[in-house]
Amino acid sequence: MTIDDAGHYSPQQRAEIIAAYPEHEREARAKGIPVLGSGRIFPVPEEMIACEPFKLPRWWPRIGALDFGWDHPSAAVELAWDTEADVVRLATVANIDVDTGGLLVIDGVQTEVGDRILVKDQTDGSENGIRTVSAGQWFRAADARTARTMQYGTTVTVQEGSANGGKTFRFNTLDPVIGDDPISIVEYPLGGTAPAVARDYIDAPVYVADRAALAALDTSRDKVALIWNEGGRNGVFVFDASNQAVNVTNDPQQGVLVAPSSDATGASGAWRRIDLVSSTSAAGAVSPLWFGVTLDGADSTAAFSAFLDFLVYTGIAGELPAGTITLGSKITKNIGSAGLALGGQGEDISILLWTSADGGLNITSTHATGKVQWSRQVELHHFSIKTSRASGGTALSHTISPVSASSTSIMFDYHDLSIQGLDVDADHWDNGIVVTDGWNGTIERCSIKGIAGDNLSPFEMNDAIKLVRCNDCHVSKVHAYHCEVGIHSTSDTSSYGDGLTIEDCRIVGVSTGILSDGSVVNAWMGICNTHINASVKGINLTNLYYTPISENLIYKTHVSTQDNWSGIFMLGPGFNILTGNTISTPGAPAGVTNFGIVLSGVGNNIVDGNLFNNTTGGFYCIYELSGTTKNTIINNIADGTIDAIVGGDGTATQSTVRNNKPITNLTTVTSGDATPSVASLIDNILVTTNTGATSITTFDDGVNQQLLELHVADANTTLVNGATLALLGAQNTSPPNGAILVFRKISTVWTEIGRSYPVGNLIIGSYTKAPQSKLHGYDAANTLRILTRLENDNGASGTAAIGFEVTNSGTETRSAKAGLGLTRNSSNGRGQLGVFVRTTNDGADFDINDLKSGWNVTGIFHSFMGTTVASASTIVPTGNLFHVSGTTNIATIDGTGIVAGTTIRMIFDGILTVTAGSNLKMAGNFTTSASDMLVMTWDGTNWYEEGRSANA
């Protein structure tokens, strides 16, 4: 494409450029680019920018460079095109069949192929426009196919025709969607001729005072109107000629749609508010003021109800204005599966005020199966719900049907709401928010308050939040004050009440902070990081599994005189985790008994790392009641104000209790109990307090591998060895006061693994035989064989004071029968360390003949002297030193059983010859005389001579 020397495009080139870039106009309009003068802002086409030298035609003056975010650099220009389309040959005078087409006669003139015809009288107004004659279907002319080329105000001149020849017509529809929207084409005056009706030709909206005046307008002439005298109902309206009967029916208050007086049904069209919607979709929120709601204190119930109906019908969000809307009675809405979204300008800025004794908003809905899980069916936010009455009903009630199902969407989302009385010292709602059969709902950052002056139960407001058979709901950052129950979950249907999460809430000045009182078992109610100040119970849970309760701060209301107050109370079934909670009763009047955590009828719970402090009255940190079993209570800490960190009624079974501080109440055995329970021992310790002779035969209620320390705190206890109580040495024992015995349960048997006695003799085995020494160990399985003995008392001279492996103690008097012993002097206690070997298996004590080796009192080492050996060809040594009698020559010495390295000394009593050879390695034969000595050492094979002496 070229530009002439004058910098101009030809008209045909201009038309081609305009036709080539309609998308730029749409994009510019979508971006809100303003209209300047008689034209519009357009980007300069890229091929024009690339021209060298770059020139713009005079009809397209450049006004500066801007970046509108397109992919290529562009320049902004003001396109001052003509608002007159090219001329047409003829204009229709009646409806024609454009689809069949053909060479028709139009306005008395035979058409020819290629004629441009202004089609303006179609029954289906969307077919109007400029079309080209052909033998078949008539298509729209190439320069009249877009909204821009048939824009409101564009004119076209007719060349021929008996009725329309010489006339000019104007396109009279704003931004038509070609092929969808009806296109209005009206006659336009020529040559300054005054119109018969001036409104037909004034390009400006009509200003009317109210809806009645709007309905009375002549819609054949007026298409845009402004209501200016109805306050909050004012607005800009356009006439939509399509059938609006259904929409008009659903807007009886004329908030958005006003039917003309000529057809009040809306079937022939209606005035539609355009400050809310465009021609195809919503452009903003709906205001209740459009429906006749006022902020002057008058009852707006009917208008507000119609406003909600319209929100439900259209699915468009509603927006409350700043100010108070007064409502004289409860509003009940069954919205089905439709959505309802309503927001305000902020709590205590946008206010709904009910003045009836039974007020509030009551919504019923059904599951929106077409919505995904994270969509909201009902969303209310950022406004206040107030009552001017004492006992005002339920502020917000929502019932969903059928009963909850996991495939449904998030059916409600209530956030940033304030619910309270108008006069906080006198007015109150009976309940705040009540949801029945909900699933995946959220209540967040809501503030709900009863009468401010309430200090003690019963409070005037019942439940701040109540969830009935609600699953997987989330309550977060809610503030609840001065009510019977802060957050209440209940269910009568199993698995319909699972998964409630409560986090980061503040519940102050209530009877019970959080209550779950379902009649059936449900699972998982997570409660964390919540501050509760309650007069009766902080958290009260019934029939819950798998519930974590963590990091909560729970106080007893400072004015509460409640007895048996509990921070957390759990009644069946179990598998819950209570950890990191802080519970105290600061400044509260003392009841007879107060509790931190109470477990009743529950099992397999973990109570770990909780803190109890600043308590008053009788205070038990953790208390186990009937039916409680297999709980793990560990690592809990309390200050000095408590009475006991762990307590109970004595019926709990098989709990593990350890590492709780301080320990103030170890478990004690009931006096006379022969089978004491060890089900819930504190730190695995059981204390005996028997006032009379008591024989303990086993321990009851223990679990496999349980460890038990038995602290004997009396002198009347005997433990009896048996099938389920295995004592050391398999002997009964009567430990002294202060003794500690340690047991481990292995399968069904309590096995003693250690004992410690603080004073007196320690006997390992049985006290049925009197102790003979300070340490005495018996092996009853081997005829009372003494394993170990230690004594320091003075007995007969030469007795052993320490001994091991005594053969038999059945006839023991006081002497140890040991392999290693200390002999002593009966007068001064001195003696020698010796090794005793007694070969005779009898009941006699060791004597000096059994002393085989050792050191005497002066430290001289001695070895064993054997019995005299008769000379023979082969002799057998009897000790390290022995005499050889007789005169028979010796050829070998037996080494059987002798350890290599052993040295023997033989003293000869007569004359004989010891012959070198065989296993005797000697410096020649040795012929002895009486008193001669031969010294030999055994290497495991041979005897080697170390020396010989002639001592005669």
Side-chain angles (χ1 to χ4, degrees):
M1 186 175 293
T2 59
I3 305 173
D4 64 20
D5 293 338
H8 294 168
Y9 285 99
S10 69
Q12 181 61 31
Q13 290 171 330
R14 182 183 70 174
E16 291 176 3
I17 291 174
I18 293 173
Y21 291 93
E23 69 279 6
H24 294 316
E25 178 191 5
R26 287 194 297 271
E27 187 165 4
R29 291 173 61 80
K31 292 177 176 290
I33 300 173
V35 175
L36 301 178
S38 60
R40 302 180 183 277
I41 297 297
F42 271 83
V44 176
E46 192 173 54
E47 56 267 37
M48 292 177 58
I49 295 174
C51 292
E52 291 295 342
F54 172 58
K55 294 183 180 180
L56 290 175
R58 287 190 296 273
W59 57 270
W60 200 334
R62 187 178 185 190
I63 62 170
L66 295 173
D67 180 9
F68 292 169
W70 287 291
D71 293 336
H72 59 75
S74 61
V77 300
E78 181 183 0
L79 178 58
W81 70 41
D82 297 332
T83 58
E84 181 179 352
D86 288 349
V87 297
V88 297
R89 183 183 179 196
L90 298 166
T92 62
V93 294
N95 181 70
I96 64 173
D97 186 350
V98 295
D99 293 328
T100 302
L103 303 181
L104 303 177
V105 175
I106 300 297
D107 198 12
V109 179
Q110 178 64 53
T111 60
E112 298 177 6
V113 174
D115 285 346
R116 290 163 52 82
I117 307 298
L118 178 64
V119 179
K120 63 180 181 60
D121 302 294
Q122 295 300 100
T123 302
D124 181 357
S126 66
E127 294 181 346
N128 287 339
I130 300 175
R131 294 179 179 267
T132 302
V133 175
S134 70
Q137 182 178 355
W138 288 13
F139 293 99
R140 296 184 186 275
D143 62 345
R145 295 177 178 175
T146 66
R148 175 177 57 77
T149 56
M150 291 188 288
Q151 189 56 262
Y152 178 87
T154 300
T155 60
V156 60
T157 301
V158 182
Q159 294 175 322
E160 302 179 33
S162 58
N164 295 323
K167 290 184 179 180
T168 298
F169 291 87
R170 183 182 67 180
F171 286 92
N172 209 40
T173 300
L174 181 65
D175 293 336
V177 176
I178 305 306
D180 291 333
D181 287 350
I183 299 174
S184 174
I185 302 174
V186 297
E187 185 179 355
Y188 190 77
L190 295 176
T193 304
V197 181
R199 284 294 311 145
D200 287 346
Y201 307 102
I202 299 177
D203 188 11
V206 179
Y207 290 85
V208 294
D210 52 32
R211 278 161 172 70
L214 178 64
L217 290 176
D218 183 351
T219 58
S220 66
R221 299 191 301 269
D222 297 313
K223 304 300 181 182
V224 180
L226 172 65
I227 298 177
W228 61 273
N229 196 36
E230 285 194 306
R233 308 195 73 188
N234 291 342
V236 180
F237 292 77
V238 297
F239 188 75
D240 187 335
S242 62
N243 189 339
Q244 296 292 314
V246 176
N247 295 335
V248 167
T249 300
N250 283 281
D251 186 8
Q253 291 294 115
Q254 298 180 323
V256 175
L257 292 150
V258 179
S261 301
S262 59
D263 184 358
T265 67
S268 58
W271 292 95
R272 180 164 39 84
R273 183 185 290 271
I274 64 169
D275 45 356
L276 166 68
V277 292
S278 69
S279 61
T280 58
S281 61
V286 179
S287 170
L289 300 180
W290 300 345
F291 296 80
V293 169
T294 64
L295 305 176
D296 57 5
D299 183 4
S300 294
T301 302
F304 192 79
S305 178
F307 160 67
L308 295 180
D309 288 339
F310 187 81
L311 300 185
V312 172
Y313 167 66
T314 62
I316 303 172
E319 183 173 300
L320 300 176
T324 299
I325 297 174
T326 302
L327 303 166
S329 61
K330 178 165 61 178
I331 294 179
T332 299
K333 294 294 176 188
N334 188 338
I335 68 174
S337 60
L340 173 60
L342 177 61
Q345 310 302 311
E347 304 97 308
D348 289 327
I349 297 176
S350 298
I351 301 170
L352 300 180
L353 172 62
W354 268 271
T355 59
S356 61
D358 183 20
L361 181 58
N362 183 3
I363 301 171
T364 300
S365 66
T366 56
H367 295 314
T369 56
K371 291 182 178 291
V372 293
Q373 287 250 346
W374 53 85
S375 63
R376 268 75 171 171
Q377 187 175 8
V378 178
E379 182 173 3
L380 307 176
H381 60 93
H382 289 103
F383 59 89
S384 291
I385 304 175
K386 295 187 177 183
T387 178
S388 63
R389 301 290 296 271
S391 184
T394 297
L396 175 57
S397 176
H398 187 183
T399 301
I400 300 99
S401 64
V403 176
S404 301
S406 62
S407 61
T408 61
S409 64
I410 297 177
M411 291 171 292
F412 63 92
D413 182 8
Y414 306 139
H415 62 91
D416 299 284
L417 298 175
S418 173
I419 299 174
Q420 64 183 56
L422 181 64
D423 181 350
V424 295
D425 293 319
D427 304 329
H428 66 89
W429 292 101
D430 293 337
N431 298 286
I433 299 173
V434 177
V435 181
T436 303
D437 293 323
W439 197 295
N440 291 334
T442 299
I443 303 175
E444 187 174 18
R445 295 188 304 276
C446 294
S447 178
I448 305 171
K449 188 173 186 178
I451 294 178
D454 278 359
N455 287 320
L456 287 174
S457 178
F459 294 92
E460 299 296 334
M461 176 183 276
N462 296 320
D463 297 322
I465 295 173
K466 185 174 184 179
L467 303 172
V468 182
R469 293 186 301 271
C470 289
N471 275 17
D472 292 339
C473 293
H474 186 197
V475 180
S476 174
K477 297 178 176 62
V478 165
H479 290 207
Y481 303 90
H482 305 145
C483 56
E484 278 295 299
V485 180
I487 300 171
H488 184 181
S489 175
T490 188
S491 177
D492 56 7
T493 306
S494 184
S495 297
Y496 291 86
D498 296 345
L500 171 61
T501 301
I502 301 171
E503 65 171 351
D504 199 18
C505 295
R506 302 296 178 264
I507 305 173
V508 177
V510 298
S511 288
T512 300
I514 297 172
L515 172 64
S516 178
D517 59 356
S519 59
V520 297
V521 174
N522 281 285
W524 213 94
M525 179 179 180
I527 304 171
C528 66
N529 197 30
T530 290
H531 173 201
I532 301 174
N533 190 329
S535 61
V536 177
K537 286 182 174 68
I539 299 174
N540 185 1
L541 307 179
T542 300
N543 287 331
L544 277 178
Y545 274 119
Y546 316 127
T547 291
I549 305 173
S550 64
E551 309 300 329
N552 299 291
L553 176 62
I554 305 173
Y555 284 97
K556 183 177 183 179
T557 300
H558 73 282
V559 294
S560 172
T561 58
Q562 171 74 29
D563 190 24
N564 293 330
W565 178 92
S566 55
I568 301 173
F569 184 92
M570 301 198 74
L571 176 61
F575 292 96
N576 303 299
I577 300 175
L578 292 74
T579 180
N581 301 287
T582 298
I583 304 175
S584 61
T585 60
V592 175
T593 305
N594 294 294
F595 303 96
I597 298 172
V598 177
L599 305 176
S600 180
V602 296
N604 302 288
N605 297 286
I606 296 175
V607 183
D608 180 10
N610 299 285
L611 177 64
F612 308 89
N613 58 31
N614 199 14
T615 64
T616 57
F619 193 92
Y620 289 85
C621 298
I622 300 139
Y623 204 78
E624 295 184 291
L625 293 173
S626 177
T628 303
T629 183
K630 298 179 182 177
N631 295 306
T632 300
I633 303 173
I634 58 175
N635 303 323
N636 299 284
I637 300 174
D639 65 9
T641 64
I642 66 164
D643 287 290
I645 197 165
V646 179
D649 62 3
T651 61
T653 59
Q654 299 183 3
S655 289
T656 299
V657 184
R658 68 176 185 270
N659 296 337
N660 301 288
K661 301 295 183 295
I663 300 174
T664 60
N665 55 327
L666 292 174
T667 306
T668 58
V669 177
T670 302
S671 180
D673 189 352
T675 58
S677 172
V678 293
S680 299
L681 300 183
I682 297 175
D683 283 4
N684 298 315
I685 297 173
L686 180 65
V687 182
T688 67
T689 57
N690 293 307
T691 58
T694 301
S695 294
I696 295 177
T697 58
T698 191
F699 301 105
D700 198 11
D701 303 322
V703 295
N704 189 32
Q705 298 301 322
Q706 182 175 344
L707 190 68
L708 163 65
E709 284 188 23
L710 180 67
H711 292 196
V712 180
D714 58 73
N716 302 305
T717 299
T718 297
L719 284 87
V720 179
N721 185 74
T724 58
L725 187 64
L727 300 172
L728 290 177
Q731 297 295 306
N732 299 344
T733 184
S734 300
N737 192 329
I740 298 175
L741 292 84
V742 182
F743 297 86
R744 171 82 71 180
K745 187 173 186 183
I746 302 174
S747 185
T748 60
V749 180
W750 287 97
T751 301
E752 182 183 2
I753 59 176
R755 63 176 68 172
S756 173
Y757 291 0
V759 294
N761 298 330
L762 173 62
I763 181 168
I764 302 173
S766 172
Y767 269 154
T768 59
K769 186 173 180 63
Q772 299 287 305
S773 59
K774 292 297 182 183
L775 175 65
H776 223 81
Y778 286 109
D779 180 5
N782 194 0
T783 321
L784 296 179
R785 185 176 57 145
I786 299 175
L787 300 176
T788 304
R789 172 175 176 169
L790 174 65
E791 65 178 355
N792 61 6
D793 57 336
N794 189 23
S797 175
T799 58
I802 182 170
F804 304 98
E805 297 297 332
V806 173
T807 301
N808 186 285
S809 66
T811 59
E812 179 191 17
T813 58
R814 290 188 66 83
S815 298
K817 304 167 183 181
L820 175 65
L822 290 173
T823 64
R824 66 186 178 199
N825 183 289
S826 60
S827 62
N828 57 29
R830 293 182 301 157
Q832 66 181 6
L833 172 64
V835 176
F836 294 82
V837 177
R838 186 174 183 83
T839 59
T840 303
N841 186 13
D842 58 21
D845 291 341
F846 284 119
D847 56 30
I848 195 64
N849 295 319
D850 299 321
L851 183 62
K852 305 303 180 183
S853 182
W855 288 264
N856 69 5
V857 295
T858 62
I860 297 175
F861 177 78
H862 60 86
S863 58
F864 173 61
M865 181 174 177
T867 58
T868 300
V869 176
S871 63
S873 177
T874 300
I875 64 172
V876 178
T878 59
N880 299 104
L881 175 67
F882 57 90
H883 282 259
V884 178
S885 64
T887 59
T888 304
N889 292 334
I890 299 172
T892 61
I893 301 174
D894 190 1
T896 302
I898 296 177
V899 178
T902 300
T903 299
I904 61 174
R905 293 174 175 82
M906 296 175 288
I907 300 173
F908 298 95
D909 294 337
I911 299 172
L912 57 85
T913 298
V914 179
T915 303
S918 187
N919 69 342
L920 305 180
K921 306 298 181 182
M922 303 172 58
N925 296 339
F926 180 37
T927 300
T928 71
S929 58
S931 300
D932 286 351
M933 175 179 285
L934 179 62
V935 180
M936 304 288 286
T937 299
W938 174 247
D939 73 347
T941 303
N942 297 298
W943 291 97
Y944 290 85
E945 180 182 355
E946 286 195 26
R948 62 180 72 178
S949 65
N951 299 320

